[in-house]
Amino acid sequence: MAPPRILLCGDVLGRLNQLFKRVNSVNKSAGPFDSLFCVGQFFPDETDRLDELMDYVEGRAQIPLPTYFIGDYGVGAAKVLSAASKNSANQGFKMDGFKICDNLFWLKGSGKFTLHGLSVAYLSGRQLSSGQQFGSYSEDDIDALRAFAEEPGIVDLFLSNEWPSGVTNRAAVSDIPSGMSDSSGSDSTVSQLVAEIKPRYHIAGTKGAFYAREPYSNVDAVHVTRFLGLASVGNKEKQKFLHALSPTPSSAMSAAEISTKPPNTTLSPYALADQVDRPKEATKRAGDNAPDSQYWRYDVSNKRQKHGNGDGNKVCFKFISSGSCPRGEKCNFQHDVDAREQFLRGVCLDFIIKGKCEKGPDCNFKHSLQDEGESYSRKRPGSGNNNAIRLKECWFCLSSPNVEIHLVTSIGENFYCALAKGPLVQDHVLLIPVEHLPNTLCLSADGEIELGKFQNSVKMYYKNQGKEAVFFEWISKRGTHANLQAVPVPSSKAAALKDIFNLAAEKLGFEFVTKKFNNNSEGRKWLRTQFDKNLSCFYVELPEGSILSHLVEENEKFPAQFGREVLAGLLNMADRADWRNCTLGKEEETKLAENFKKRFEVFDPSH
């Protein structure tokens, strides 16, 4: 399958007619292109161009291809974005864009999503302290990106409005656009984030200049990053504002391809900046270390530590939110065990450390310190759920207001069955524990028995249609609510399953632990002996009785949608490898769930 073809644009400034005239020209001569990403200010900088913008927003002019923007500020931004936020179609947890009009999507706040196989992360807005509703990012947006940075897999594109501080190559002054200073329009927070996220491509705007930096190597990663700064549409200097790119998704690349370094690769500019800014560690306070600032947020005092030579007044955010810190004892900030325990009991992180929460009644966490035993109903102590800050309501707990109950097809005592959101194929279902558990390998005896019944029922249901059942589970050590996926595969393709999973593993540089069993119960007993709660894990149960499992090491990159991606390849459905590309409307989902419920009824173990 050919790599996606995308266009990248700098500050639009409301000049949509000029932008799309150029896009149509490029599309005609070198296209077709799949999508357009705009960084920097998208809305007009003067009222004269507001009518031009509204012609597109209100449908009087057409946008030629799916267009995504992060520069949510300028004339008219508040009006347009307020209306979009109130649109019922944009409610809920959406990271793939709020729809403004046909082919125009606002990437709000921060997030990560997959588009045409590419992993795209973004930070919307700018660093402002005015607290305005649009056009600035929040501390929560930054925290979310840091959580995403710890997830398996490589980010292909990272979009920011402002440039990262220090990205220009001071050793090659001729490469830096004339009149452009490194400090103006730069953001040190973006520098810290990009050093953590380590994207393959980083795209930014706001400086009004085009700059393509040499690729640079990343600390603790094998791949390089390429930075691209884009000029504004219609700039008087005629600098480049539109750039075409056709990157192969990292998920489809071999380890050798990912680790290839061009001859002009430099060291990371952020590592160099760190050395320049801190030539003598011993002469400065730990709290003054700029690159370390990403690990803390608030002042604390008189807290006991787990380890680390922490500054007495600053707490390590990574330790509190995840239970671990990659710097270990070398961390310069407190690993506050008391705060971590309160976080696990469901107490709001802002309340724990600042004594107050700016969200007030809109916050879904507790605003009082909890004694031992007063655990949060949606969080099991010790679960280490990194995403609690972002996902305040579980998608899979039946009591949650965010659960999509119309997809649920049957409910037992310990498990329920639901159609998959954005299914790979028809009858793709999830088997989900009723209790909020991090994986299906820590079930009670009754839960294990009921799961076995559901699995056998699904197998019989698929078999009745001439298909075989493939079960797989991705267990992230930072995961939330467990779900075991079941996908029907034509019987004629079942024999190829083991080979294609092993081939995919080989491409990622690991080898499955494989064992064959005569019955499902024995296989899952063996899985529990292989499982290590301190590591992430993937396993797949094949129709002929084999189980393939893999424990993901601490620094290993592993795609969270690996199981689905492999099956999509087997079924020649590469375009459906990501569930977000396969989502349906609620009315259609409801109809599919009802139809499945009727067909599955005779096999349903809950009846």
Side-chain angles (χ1 to χ4, degrees):
M1 188 175 178
R5 298 166 61 80
I6 60 174
L7 291 172
L8 306 165
C9 180
D11 304 62
V12 177
L13 301 174
R15 299 185 176 104
L16 296 180
N17 289 340
Q18 186 173 352
L19 168 62
F20 292 131
K21 180 180 179 180
R22 177 64 177 149
V23 166
N24 283 329
S25 175
V26 172
N27 219 9
K28 186 176 181 180
S29 61
F33 288 90
D34 298 302
S35 56
L36 166 66
F37 292 102
C38 300
V39 295
Q41 183 173 335
F42 186 79
F43 289 84
D45 54 357
E46 52 189 39
T47 56
D48 290 351
R49 279 196 293 274
L50 187 56
D51 288 343
E52 180 179 330
L53 169 77
M54 297 310 295
D55 281 344
Y56 289 91
V57 171
E58 294 173 355
R60 291 183 292 275
Q62 303 303 309
I63 297 174
L65 80 172
T67 299
Y68 299 79
F69 70 88
I70 58 172
D72 49 1
Y73 51 94
V75 177
K79 177 183 176 181
V80 172
L81 301 181
S82 292
S85 300
K86 294 173 184 175
N87 188 329
S88 59
N90 290 330
Q91 299 302 306
F93 185 65
K94 289 178 67 67
M95 288 192 290
D96 56 352
F98 282 32
K99 184 174 181 179
I100 303 298
C101 61
D102 286 346
N103 271 349
L104 184 60
F105 302 91
W106 166 36
L107 299 175
K108 179 183 179 183
S110 70
K112 187 175 80 167
F113 68 106
T114 302
L115 186 69
H116 307 300
L118 296 170
S119 174
V120 182
Y122 59 87
L123 179 65
S124 185
R126 299 167 295 175
Q127 186 180 43
L128 299 173
S129 57
S130 60
Q132 62 191 60
Q133 185 179 5
F134 303 113
S136 61
Y137 58 77
S138 69
E139 201 68 50
D140 284 342
D141 294 327
I142 297 168
D143 294 342
L145 280 177
R146 286 182 172 138
F148 292 139
E150 295 182 355
E151 292 181 350
I154 298 173
V155 171
D156 292 305
L157 299 178
F158 175 53
L159 311 175
S160 69
N161 289 311
E162 294 177 306
W163 288 31
S165 300
V167 72
T168 52
N169 189 348
R170 295 176 177 84
V173 178
S174 60
D175 289 344
I176 302 176
S178 175
M180 186 187 74
S181 72
D182 186 54
S183 58
S184 63
S186 299
D187 186 345
S188 60
T189 300
V190 174
S191 302
Q192 294 164 12
L193 284 173
V194 78
E196 283 195 72
I197 296 169
K198 302 175 178 65
R200 291 173 59 215
Y201 294 89
H202 177 196
I203 320 298
T206 71
K207 278 209 175 186
F210 174 77
Y211 177 59
R213 192 195 189 281
E214 310 100 312
Y216 63 82
S217 58
N218 287 292
V219 179
D220 299 328
V222 298
H223 64 279
V224 300
T225 294
R226 291 171 168 84
F227 173 78
L228 189 68
L230 291 164
S232 57
V233 175
N235 66 89
K236 294 180 181 178
E237 292 77 21
K238 305 293 184 183
Q239 292 205 42
K240 189 175 184 179
F241 65 82
L242 195 67
H243 185 82
L245 202 62
S246 184
T248 300
S250 57
S251 59
M253 296 172 70
S254 67
E257 290 171 328
I258 290 173
S259 59
T260 299
K261 289 182 171 61
N264 62 336
T265 300
T266 72
L267 294 175
S268 167
Y270 313 117
L272 289 171
D274 186 13
Q275 294 169 9
V276 170
D277 293 341
R278 297 189 294 132
K280 296 194 178 289
E281 294 268 348
T283 63
K284 299 190 73 179
R285 293 186 300 111
D288 290 336
N289 295 345
D292 287 341
S293 63
Q294 59 191 286
Y295 290 89
W296 61 271
R297 281 179 63 186
Y298 311 116
D299 288 345
V300 294
S301 60
N302 301 320
K303 299 285 186 180
R304 64 185 170 98
Q305 300 175 40
K306 179 181 178 182
H307 53 66
N309 302 315
D311 182 305
N313 294 318
K314 293 188 173 76
V315 63
C316 175
F317 170 77
K318 280 185 179 286
F319 176 78
I320 292 184
S321 62
S322 68
S324 64
C325 169
R327 297 196 172 192
E329 294 184 359
K330 295 180 180 179
C331 181
N332 292 313
F333 304 101
Q334 279 197 19
H335 292 175
D336 188 341
V337 176
D338 289 335
R340 170 68 179 161
E341 288 176 357
Q342 290 295 323
F343 178 72
L344 291 176
R345 294 172 191 163
V347 179
C348 169
L349 188 59
D350 282 358
F351 179 83
I352 292 171
I353 305 178
K354 295 196 294 185
K356 63 179 181 178
C357 172
E358 297 170 1
K359 293 177 182 172
D362 292 331
C363 180
N364 291 316
F365 293 89
K366 295 179 179 179
H367 290 160
S368 62
L369 298 181
Q370 304 295 299
D371 294 330
E372 189 172 357
E374 295 183 287
S375 61
Y376 195 23
S377 61
R378 294 199 304 271
K379 176 177 286 297
R380 301 176 73 245
S383 67
N385 177 12
N386 245 10
N387 296 324
I389 298 171
R390 185 74 170 177
L391 299 176
K392 302 182 183 67
E393 295 285 351
C394 178
W395 288 0
F396 296 128
C397 283
L398 292 175
S399 60
S400 167
N402 285 346
V403 70
E404 302 208 40
I405 199 70
H406 65 284
L407 293 173
V408 176
T409 58
S410 59
I411 303 176
E413 289 293 323
N414 301 283
F415 265 83
Y416 72 89
C417 178
L419 286 191
K421 182 83 172 174
L424 175 62
V425 293
Q426 184 176 316
D427 295 336
H428 176 183
V429 298
L430 307 181
L431 303 179
I432 304 168
V434 173
E435 184 182 355
H436 188 96
L437 297 174
N439 60 74
T440 69
L441 300 181
C442 63
L443 303 174
S444 65
D446 288 343
E448 192 67 54
I449 290 171
E450 188 170 23
L451 174 59
K453 290 179 179 178
F454 264 109
Q455 285 188 271
N456 288 334
S457 296
V458 169
K459 288 177 184 177
M460 289 188 289
Y461 172 72
Y462 289 165
K463 189 75 102 174
N464 197 47
Q465 302 175 28
K467 297 177 181 178
E468 301 289 346
V470 179
F471 298 97
F472 62 89
E473 182 175 10
W474 162 243
I475 303 172
S476 170
K477 66 178 183 179
R478 305 179 183 90
T480 52
H481 199 135
N483 63 89
L484 180 65
Q485 302 202 40
V487 176
V489 170
S491 298
S492 60
K493 291 182 177 284
L497 281 164
K498 184 185 287 188
D499 286 342
I500 195 169
F501 268 100
N502 282 325
L503 180 62
E506 183 181 338
K507 286 188 174 182
L508 286 180
F510 73 89
E511 187 175 337
F512 276 115
V513 176
T514 305
K515 198 162 184 178
K516 191 171 182 178
F517 299 90
N518 293 323
N519 64 71
N520 186 61
S521 177
E522 290 300 315
R524 291 190 62 80
K525 281 182 183 177
W526 174 77
L527 270 175
R528 288 195 291 276
T529 67
Q530 300 294 302
F531 180 58
D532 181 344
K533 67 180 181 180
N534 295 315
L535 296 174
S536 297
C537 171
F538 173 84
Y539 71 88
V540 56
E541 301 177 37
L542 303 181
E544 37 84 9
S546 291
I547 295 180
L548 283 61
S549 72
H550 175 59
L551 291 178
V552 181
E553 296 298 328
E554 185 66 35
N555 295 319
E556 181 181 347
K557 300 298 183 182
F558 191 91
Q561 298 198 60
F562 177 76
R564 178 173 177 136
E565 290 171 359
V566 174
L567 293 179
L570 174 72
L571 300 173
N572 296 318
M573 297 178 172
D575 58 323
R576 300 183 67 82
D578 192 287
W579 69 270
R580 296 176 185 84
N581 297 334
C582 309
T583 54
L584 305 167
K586 185 174 181 179
E587 185 177 343
E588 189 172 354
E589 288 179 336
T590 302
K591 186 184 295 184
L592 288 174
E594 290 301 320
N595 289 338
F596 176 84
K597 195 181 300 185
K598 290 174 185 175
R599 296 193 304 270
F600 187 62
E601 187 173 13
V602 66
F603 304 96
D604 194 341
S606 67
H607 287 182

